[in-house]
């Protein structure tokens, strides 16, 4: 009997198939772990090859698993894009071994791509991240930050501590951080950021508690508007904390820092033009001096204070080696307190309208016996008495750096000659200083062996004397680019460009 042309001949042999449909032919896709990242790692290539040989030996000695039970096949972990089973060789590796393999990747950004493979790789890649800058406060408050990255040692939560519209198109950026501004920026009483946009101390304290309890290995934190309670929790939970940066801090909040016995680097930002305005005075300096006796570096930005605060720091923090003062608002006479910093080696004064309004008589100033470096950057140096007092206190320095200092002319620069042990001098952006003023000072220094002069337009090559040229010939290091115009003329020498009656580039 002839069969019907519409009848499927395979329907009797397999009743599970629907009529008029043929069984799909499975195409095995060859899984390849090849790539630049595998070819460059011989140890990982050896592990993959060993797994392949082991899988071949197991498949030849045992019966293949049933197609109806996909969980019995260790390589059939997930379907591919085309519906076929894709072997997952990484599932045979233990978490410890896979974590060790991932840690060999030198590019830290690669950990982000690795975390997108699967949930397991996401958790393991999170354990390799040790530094993070938080942009979303909810990510910390929900506990996902500490769960995803349990081994963090460096955390910056300042960007997430200010509420800002991400799509505003107005970005305010400085050396400390960046923040997006809205269109009503001119209605904030002279501030670019509304006071209500900065998270309250109670909210910040709650986030700091979650962070401290989840990441006990913290070494460095950058916080904003944290109170005494938040700092106390951080000190109790993170005993290895060594570096801290506090923005919008106050005298009262520094009571919590008293327990940070192992703190070595501290930065206090009290006032920042257009962003926030808080106060750190002699009271706060005395509190931190009595609590943080192991400080090696202290940076004060926008802080108030006077002679008493600097004296307390010098007497209590006897290990202090570097002091940075930026845009300070201290009362006159604080310079004489530097003599109590017996172990101070580096002093940096930055962005100050006045270094010291009233330094006092020279016989009361004293000096720092171990000071080696003095850096003065973007400061007003128009008062001869103040500058003379500064160099009298810093008379033992061996390295002096001036950068973009206003008012530094020949008369003011002559006060530097009291420093007899200078071995390195750097001048940049000092447009009032001339070649004659420079020569009168550096010829008196017998130990000078390194000189750097950049962008000082009044220092001319034509004014170099034979004595100064002789000094240049014996220096170990010389960087001489004082006048950009002279440098351009030297580069155009012989071309005829720039000379009267010479050739022109115009066609």
């Amino acid at each position: 009997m002839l069969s019907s042309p519409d009848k499927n001949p395979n329907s009797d042999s397999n009743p599970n198939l629907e009529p008029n449909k043929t069984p799909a032919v499975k195409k095995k896709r060859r899984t390849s772990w090849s790539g630049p990242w595998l070819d460059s790692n011989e140890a990982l290539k050896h592990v993959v090859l060993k797994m392949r040989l082991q899988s071949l030996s197991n498949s030849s000695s045992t019966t293949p698993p049933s197609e109806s039970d996909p969980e019995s096949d260790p390589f059939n972990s997930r379907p591919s894009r085309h519906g076929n089973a894709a072997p997952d060789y990484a599932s045979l590796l233990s978490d410890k071994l896979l974590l060790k393999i991932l840690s060999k990747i030198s590019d830290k950004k690669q950990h982000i791509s690795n975390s997108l493979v699967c949930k397991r790789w996401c958790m393991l890649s999170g354990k390799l991240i040790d530094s993070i800058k938080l942009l979303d406060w909810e990510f910390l408050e929900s506990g996902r930050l500490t769960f995803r990255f349990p081994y963090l040692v460096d955390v910056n939560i300042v960007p997430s501590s200010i509420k800002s519209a991400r799509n505003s198109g107005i970005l305010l950026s400085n050396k400390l951080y960046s923040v997006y501004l809205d269109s009503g920026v001119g209605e904030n009483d002279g501030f670019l950021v509304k006071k209500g946009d900065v998270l309250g101390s109670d909210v910040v304290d709650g986030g700091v508690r979650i962070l401290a309890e989840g990441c006990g290995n913290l070494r460095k934190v950058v916080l904003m508007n944290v109170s005494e309670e938040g700092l106390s929790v951080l000190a109790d939970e993170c005993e290895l904390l060594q570096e801290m940066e506090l923005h919008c801090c106050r005298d009262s909040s520094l009571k919590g820092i008293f327990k940070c016995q192992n703190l070595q680097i501290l930065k206090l930002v009290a006032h920042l033009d257009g962003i926030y305005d808080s106060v750190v005075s002699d009271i706060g300096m005395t509190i931190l001096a009595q609590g943080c006796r192991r400080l090696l570096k202290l940076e004060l930005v926008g802080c108030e204070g006077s002679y008493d605060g600097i004296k307390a720091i010098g007497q209590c923090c006897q290990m202090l080696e570097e002091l940075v003062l930026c845009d300070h608002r201290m009362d006159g006479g604080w310079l004489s307190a530097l003599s109590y910093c017996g172990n101070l080696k580096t002093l940096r004064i930055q962005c100050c309208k006045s270094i010291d309004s009233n330094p006092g008589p020279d016989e009361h100033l004293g000096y720092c016996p171990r000071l080696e470096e003095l850096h003065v950057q973007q400061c007003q140096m128009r008062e001869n008495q103040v500058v003379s007092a500064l160099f009298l206190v810093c008379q033992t320095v061996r390295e002096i750096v001036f950068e973009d200092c206003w008012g530094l002319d020949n008369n003011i620069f002559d006060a530097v000659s009291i420093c007899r042990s200078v071995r390195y001098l750097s001048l940049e952006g000092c447009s009032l200083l001339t070649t004659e003023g420079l020569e009168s000072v550096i010829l008196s220094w017998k130990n000078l062996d390194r000189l750097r002069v950049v962008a000082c337009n009044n220092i001319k090559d034509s004014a170099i004397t034979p004595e100064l040229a002789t000094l240049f010939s014996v220096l170990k290091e010389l960087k001489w680019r004082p006048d950009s115009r002279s440098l351009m003329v030297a580069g155009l020498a012989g071309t005829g460009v720039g000379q009267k009656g010479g050739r022109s580039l115009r066609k």
Side-chain angles (χ1 to χ4, degrees):
M1 182 179 66
L2 297 176
S3 59
S4 174
D6 296 335
K7 184 176 181 59
N8 190 346
N10 297 328
S11 61
D12 295 337
S13 59
N14 192 348
N16 294 327
L17 294 177
E18 296 181 3
N20 300 329
K21 289 189 178 182
T22 59
V25 179
K26 294 184 177 181
K27 298 181 181 180
K28 293 185 178 181
R29 188 180 65 174
R30 180 177 179 268
T31 303
S32 176
W33 280 38
S34 61
W37 65 281
L38 179 59
D39 296 337
S40 60
N41 197 327
E42 295 294 335
L44 183 58
K45 186 189 300 183
H46 177 71
V47 172
V48 175
L49 180 60
K50 187 175 181 180
M51 289 192 304
R52 288 178 177 174
L53 294 176
Q54 183 179 1
S55 63
L56 291 176
S57 61
N58 292 339
S59 60
S60 60
S61 59
T62 58
T63 56
S66 174
E67 293 183 1
S68 62
D69 188 11
E71 295 182 357
S72 61
D73 187 2
F75 301 105
N76 193 12
S77 58
R78 69 177 188 275
S80 66
R81 185 170 53 184
H82 303 287
N84 300 326
D88 184 10
Y89 297 107
S91 62
L92 300 178
L93 301 176
S94 63
D95 290 348
K96 183 178 180 180
L97 181 57
L98 183 56
L99 185 63
K100 186 176 182 180
I101 294 174
L102 295 177
S103 65
K104 299 297 183 181
I105 301 177
S106 58
D107 188 6
K108 298 299 182 182
K109 296 181 180 179
Q110 183 63 35
H111 295 317
I112 301 177
S113 302
N114 294 340
S115 64
L116 303 177
V117 174
C118 60
K119 290 184 177 180
R120 183 192 179 200
W121 282 49
C122 180
M123 294 299 299
L124 293 178
S125 299
K127 295 180 179 181
L128 299 175
I129 303 297
D130 58 359
S131 176
I132 197 170
K133 181 183 291 185
L134 184 64
L135 302 178
D136 185 6
W137 184 262
E138 185 181 356
F139 190 65
L140 169 62
E141 207 168 30
S142 63
R144 288 178 291 170
L145 174 67
T146 56
F147 178 77
R148 173 82 179 276
F149 309 104
Y151 299 131
L152 290 174
V153 297
D154 182 1
V155 178
N156 183 359
I157 68 173
V158 170
S160 63
S161 300
I162 300 179
K163 303 175 184 178
S164 60
R166 302 291 180 183
N167 57 351
S168 66
I170 306 175
L171 177 63
L172 172 66
S173 179
N174 59 11
K175 294 181 180 180
L176 298 177
Y177 56 84
S178 302
V179 59
Y180 286 90
L181 306 177
D182 55 15
S183 57
V185 65
E187 304 174 357
N188 300 333
D189 299 330
F191 287 87
L192 299 175
V193 177
K194 298 179 181 179
K195 294 184 179 180
D197 290 341
V198 180
L199 295 182
S201 298
D202 53 345
V203 178
V204 176
D205 291 343
V208 171
R209 178 181 292 274
I210 296 174
L211 179 64
E213 293 176 352
C215 303
N217 296 323
L218 285 177
R219 301 291 197 278
K220 177 184 177 181
V221 291
V222 183
L223 309 176
M224 184 175 188
N225 200 22
V226 63
S227 69
E228 176 186 355
E229 181 182 354
L231 291 178
S232 299
V233 173
L234 191 65
D236 293 336
E237 299 292 337
C238 305
E239 298 180 355
L240 302 178
L241 190 63
Q242 297 179 352
E243 186 173 354
M244 182 182 296
E245 184 175 332
L246 301 179
H247 293 253
C248 195
C249 57
R250 302 170 180 84
D251 289 336
S252 58
S253 62
L254 293 178
K255 296 179 181 178
I257 211 175
F258 190 84
K259 299 180 181 179
C260 298
Q261 302 292 334
N262 296 323
L263 201 62
Q264 297 181 1
I265 301 176
L266 176 62
K267 181 177 182 179
L268 303 180
V269 186
H271 173 86
L272 196 61
D273 288 336
I275 307 298
Y276 51 79
D277 186 12
S278 56
V279 177
V280 173
S281 62
D282 289 335
I283 299 175
M285 293 183 188
T286 305
I287 293 174
L288 73 89
Q290 294 177 352
C292 307
R293 295 179 178 269
R294 297 184 180 180
L295 276 182
L296 298 178
K297 179 181 178 180
L298 175 62
E299 185 170 354
L300 304 175
V301 181
C303 296
E304 299 179 4
S306 63
Y307 172 89
D308 295 331
I310 301 298
K311 178 182 177 181
I313 293 174
Q315 289 179 334
C316 298
C317 304
Q318 299 182 2
M319 300 174 61
L320 187 66
E321 296 182 353
E322 183 174 352
L323 177 62
V324 182
L325 300 174
C326 181
D327 191 23
H328 73 77
R329 287 160 169 74
M330 294 188 184
D331 298 335
W334 69 269
L335 266 177
S336 57
L338 289 177
S339 59
Y340 291 94
C341 302
N343 199 45
L344 190 65
K345 296 181 179 179
T346 303
L347 176 62
R348 301 178 186 270
I349 304 177
Q350 303 171 348
C351 305
C352 295
K353 298 178 181 178
S354 176
I355 296 178
D356 194 333
S357 59
N358 185 17
D362 294 347
E363 56 269 17
H364 295 162
L365 289 175
Y367 67 96
C368 299
R370 298 186 180 181
L371 192 63
E372 298 179 355
E373 298 182 22
L374 173 62
H375 298 254
V376 185
Q377 301 170 335
Q378 299 179 358
C379 294
Q380 292 280 0
M381 303 187 67
R382 302 182 186 276
E383 301 180 7
N384 197 354
Q385 181 186 2
V386 176
V387 177
S388 299
L390 173 63
F391 292 118
L392 188 61
V393 173
C394 306
Q395 58 184 280
T396 61
V397 294
R398 299 181 180 180
E399 298 185 7
I400 300 179
V401 176
F402 293 107
E403 183 177 340
D404 298 325
C405 293
W406 300 283
L408 186 62
D409 55 13
N410 294 346
N411 188 27
I412 298 294
F413 186 71
D414 186 65
V416 191
S417 59
I418 194 176
C419 306
R420 300 293 184 179
S421 303
V422 177
R423 304 181 65 92
Y424 172 72
L425 175 64
S426 175
L427 299 171
E428 182 174 352
C430 303
S431 57
L432 298 181
L433 187 63
T434 65
T435 310
E436 181 182 359
L438 175 64
E439 179 182 5
S440 63
V441 173
I442 64 176
L443 288 181
S444 64
W445 290 340
K446 305 302 180 182
N447 299 323
L448 184 67
D449 53 16
R450 292 185 298 159
L451 178 62
R452 179 178 179 268
V453 180
V454 177
C456 300
N457 294 332
N458 265 337
I459 298 179
K460 306 294 184 180
D461 293 342
S462 59
I464 297 178
T465 62
E467 293 80 6
L468 191 58
T470 303
L471 176 63
F472 289 171
S473 63
V474 297
L475 292 177
K476 294 182 179 179
E477 179 182 340
L478 175 62
K479 186 172 184 180
W480 186 261
R481 291 190 303 175
D483 186 5
S484 56
R485 182 178 300 177
S486 299
L487 185 63
M488 182 183 66
V489 172
L492 296 176
T495 63
V497 179
Q499 298 179 2
K500 186 176 181 180
R503 68 184 66 176
S504 175
L505 297 178
R506 187 179 301 173
K507 293 183 178 180

